[in-house]
Amino acid sequence: MTITIQKWGNSQGIRIPKHYLNELSWSEDEMVDLFIEDGKIIIERSRPAQRKNIVELFEGFNGKYEHVDFVWDDSEGREAW
């Protein structure tokens, strides 16, 4: 299928035919990743970012942890407590 690149505001874009989206089970507002590989534009469904657990977050941390107590004093501005 041949399509035309069209101007959209300050960018250019293409329209993806609905039957292509249906075949991929993609819908409107689908998050996708776009990259160039071997002179081709590749569009892939984005994978949700995996949340890290506490062990993974501090993996490789070589510093010393020092607990600090934090005191929530009286309000200083117009905060409502």
Side-chain angles (χ1 to χ4, degrees):
M1 171 182 281
T2 302
I3 56 176
T4 303
I5 297 173
Q6 299 174 333
K7 184 165 179 61
W8 287 358
N10 291 330
S11 300
Q12 288 79 40
I14 60 170
R15 292 181 186 257
I16 301 171
K18 186 173 182 175
H19 67 272
Y20 283 6
L21 298 176
N22 290 341
E23 187 173 327
L24 295 168
S25 299
W26 289 5
S27 59
E28 189 175 315
D29 297 325
E30 187 85 37
M31 295 295 293
V32 296
D33 294 319
L34 179 73
F35 57 94
I36 296 174
E37 185 177 285
D38 297 327
K40 298 176 183 176
I41 297 173
I42 309 293
I43 304 172
E44 291 181 342
R45 177 181 275 156
S46 291
R47 295 188 180 140
Q50 297 291 327
R51 292 187 66 177
K52 294 185 177 186
N53 63 33
I54 193 73
V55 174
E56 293 169 331
L57 286 172
F58 286 94
E59 193 170 65
F61 177 70
N62 295 323
K64 181 180 177 187
Y65 173 74
E66 295 182 25
H67 176 74
V68 177
D69 285 328
F70 187 82
V71 178
W72 293 93
D73 290 328
D74 296 329
S75 59
E76 295 182 14
R78 297 189 318 176
E79 303 92 14
W81 292 96

